[in-house]
Amino acid sequence: MGNQPYIVGVGAANLDLNGASCAPIHLRDSNPGHISLSAGGVTRNVCENLARLGADVKLLSCVGDDVFGSYIRRSCVEAGIDIRYLHEAKGAHSSIYLSILDADGDMLVGMSDMRIVQQDLPADYLPSQKQLIQGAKVVTCDPCMGETALLQLLDLCKPSQIVSVDPVSCAYARVVAPLIGRFHTAKPNRMELEILAGQEIKDELSLYNACETVLNKGLHRIFVSLGTEGCLYMDQEGRMLRRKLKPCEHMVNATGAGDAFTAAMIYATLEQLPIESVMDYAMAAGIAAIGHERTINPQMSISLLESILKEYKQ
């Protein structure tokens, strides 16, 4: 397996169907818009961004033997993700994520059909990849595969590994919450953090308290995305940082910002950059993502992040 550190992604690989409305949306009616197709899934998106940043990344997930499955595979290969270990479920539908964006590029509603990763993933799939998983420097995952697979993964990982989780949504955050102390890094938003901490967040103080609650459960570090307010970082060493960049004027599609953030955060962590730089790169990646119509900006690269930082750093 060589000595170059690699990353393993374990989680969702979807087909993303994005509808962007041209005008304010009228509900229960047909709206003119731009509809686009791309490969998605939180973990797959993180992996694609990492591959585009130049990392060696391997994806563990499940696709169907349908036309969407081959589309997802092709997109991964084109991006430079190693998909040799991907499971193909015979006769199953690949997972699909459907999102409708309003005229401002923000999500009005999303719907996901992830049955394949929850029902068609063989029970021995992750254990059979034990060597690959344990050889990774970083394991990045999401809870879309369900609690059983997440527990399996945590049991396979070694204490020395950086295991990073994106709670994805409030519903999935409930799956992560009882296990949060077994992860190294988490990247929730404010609503997901409330669920992980089991506390309401009303103001700045309760935001910091919620982070401390989660860190006290055993999590090593937490990045809380606060939208236009930037990002809050806290860790077990007692470090606390708030960073924000200038707001992005031209938002095209907000869908992939979090996945780009996670990827750049992992990349900068592997490069052993100081935490300030880790946060800056991560936020710059978020800006790179929302400025492009596709979920993942095909121009994603370190030089793009550096040019964004020149422009947006306050």
Side-chain angles (χ1 to χ4, degrees):
M1 295 224 167
N3 294 336
Q4 208 233 330
Y6 63 88
I7 299 153
V8 166
V10 183
N14 306 347
L15 182 94
D16 275 6
L17 201 52
N18 254 324
S21 185
C22 299
I25 287 185
H26 292 280
L27 293 175
R28 305 190 187 281
D29 196 6
S30 178
N31 293 266
H34 299 279
I35 298 178
S36 62
L37 202 63
S38 55
V42 172
T43 294
R44 198 217 65 86
N45 289 348
V46 172
C47 290
E48 175 166 342
N49 279 301
L50 276 163
R52 292 190 184 280
L53 289 171
D56 177 3
V57 61
K58 302 164 193 315
L59 177 63
L60 296 181
S61 188
C62 182
V63 295
D65 56 357
D66 54 0
V67 56
F68 290 160
S70 48
Y71 181 90
I72 294 167
R73 285 170 171 279
R74 195 169 64 244
S75 302
C76 289
V77 172
E78 281 167 9
I81 301 171
D82 182 351
I83 57 161
R84 285 176 296 170
Y85 311 93
L86 202 59
H87 178 73
E88 186 177 88
K90 299 281 173 265
H93 293 286
S94 295
S95 48
I96 300 177
Y97 176 73
L98 171 70
S99 66
I100 302 293
L101 308 177
D102 62 24
D104 301 323
D106 246 335
M107 184 168 72
L108 178 73
V109 67
M111 186 177 287
S112 65
D113 180 350
M114 310 279 303
R115 286 171 298 180
I116 186 170
V117 287
Q118 290 155 7
Q119 296 168 12
D120 297 286
L121 197 70
D124 65 344
Y125 172 63
L126 290 177
S128 73
Q129 304 296 341
K130 178 179 178 178
Q131 212 178 344
L132 182 79
I133 292 168
Q134 293 190 341
K137 184 91 175 156
V138 175
V139 176
T140 179
C141 67
D142 66 62
C144 298
M145 288 176 152
E147 191 182 18
T148 313
L150 205 54
L151 273 168
Q152 267 189 338
L153 177 65
L154 286 166
D155 287 341
L156 288 164
C157 291
K158 300 190 305 208
S160 59
Q161 287 178 295
I162 295 171
V163 185
S164 173
V165 66
D166 184 331
V168 181
S169 68
C170 291
Y172 282 123
R174 293 187 181 91
V175 177
V176 177
L179 309 169
I180 193 64
R182 298 185 62 185
F183 292 96
H184 178 282
T185 301
K187 187 205 73 76
N189 61 23
R190 204 186 298 248
M191 292 189 304
E192 292 155 4
L193 174 60
E194 286 191 326
I195 291 165
L196 295 181
Q199 288 168 228
E200 199 187 344
I201 298 170
K202 300 184 293 290
D203 49 24
E204 289 294 291
L205 185 63
S206 53
L207 174 66
Y208 298 128
N209 283 343
C211 287
E212 285 198 335
T213 299
V214 178
L215 291 169
N216 288 338
K217 292 181 182 185
L219 186 75
H220 284 268
R221 50 180 201 163
I222 189 164
F223 294 84
V224 187
S225 51
L226 301 167
T228 50
E229 291 303 298
C231 177
L232 167 67
Y233 171 84
M234 285 173 67
D235 64 23
Q236 291 259 2
E237 280 75 61
R239 283 182 300 187
M240 188 173 90
L241 271 174
R242 272 299 275 271
R243 304 285 268 199
K244 69 188 271 198
L245 299 177
K246 280 190 293 202
C248 176
E249 288 90 61
H250 32 263
M251 180 165 87
V252 185
N253 178 0
T255 315
D259 303 337
F261 180 103
T262 301
M265 177 268 288
I266 289 170
Y267 184 88
T269 299
L270 272 177
E271 294 289 308
Q272 296 177 321
L273 298 179
I275 190 60
E276 292 81 1
S277 306
V278 172
M279 292 180 78
D280 284 347
Y281 273 119
M283 287 188 295
I287 289 174
I290 60 180
H292 201 275
E293 63 173 359
R294 297 185 65 143
T295 308
I296 288 147
N297 186 334
Q299 272 83 51
M300 182 62 74
S301 64
I302 294 299
S303 57
L304 174 63
L305 300 187
E306 278 164 0
S307 68
I308 287 173
L309 285 175
K310 275 201 186 81
E311 187 187 340
Y312 281 91
K313 225 166 154 176
Q314 290 177 328

